[in-house]
Amino acid sequence: MRDVRPWTYAALFGALWGALEASLGTAAHLAKLPMRGTLMGLAGLLCLLCLRRLQPRPGVCLLAGVVAMFLKVFTLGGLYP
């Protein structure tokens, strides 16, 4: 049986990253906070660094990014222009 633990971590960290982008990113954008893009980029980088530290396999961070993108696009916060 193959080990699916790295892909589970990728899905979990991608969901965390997407939820941060959809909730805090939208709130920061609507509040017009300064340096909001830098702060959200830092949150995404932190998620990816933790994921890479736990599961150093190729493709895991890419999958986490895809999960985060789908969560951001398909939530109501992603509809705000």
Side-chain angles (χ1 to χ4, degrees), residues 23-40:
S23 60
L24 294 178
T26 303
H29 185 74
L30 290 173
K32 298 191 186 316
L33 293 177
M35 296 179 52
R36 55 188 172 262
T38 305
L39 292 174
M40 293 314 300

Side-chain angles (χ1 to χ4, degrees), residues 4-48:
V4 295
R5 194 172 310 135
W7 310 115
T8 305
Y9 274 106
L12 287 173
F13 277 93
L16 174 66
W17 183 14
L20 282 172
E21 285 280 340
S23 60
L24 294 178
T26 303
H29 185 74
L30 290 173
K32 298 191 186 316
L33 293 177
M35 296 179 52
R36 55 188 172 262
T38 305
L39 292 174
M40 293 314 300
L42 202 62
L45 182 67
L46 184 64
C47 287
L48 288 179

Side-chain angles (χ1 to χ4, degrees), residues 14-77:
L16 174 66
W17 183 14
L20 282 172
E21 285 280 340
S23 60
L24 294 178
T26 303
H29 185 74
L30 290 173
K32 298 191 186 316
L33 293 177
M35 296 179 52
R36 55 188 172 262
T38 305
L39 292 174
M40 293 314 300
L42 202 62
L45 182 67
L46 184 64
C47 287
L48 288 179
L49 284 175
C50 290
L51 174 63
R52 189 67 178 173
R53 180 81 172 149
L54 289 172
Q55 293 296 327
R57 287 187 57 169
V60 173
C61 290
L62 183 64
L63 181 64
V66 169
V67 170
M69 178 198 61
F70 274 109
L71 276 175
K72 175 71 172 137
V73 168
F74 291 118
T75 57
L76 290 176

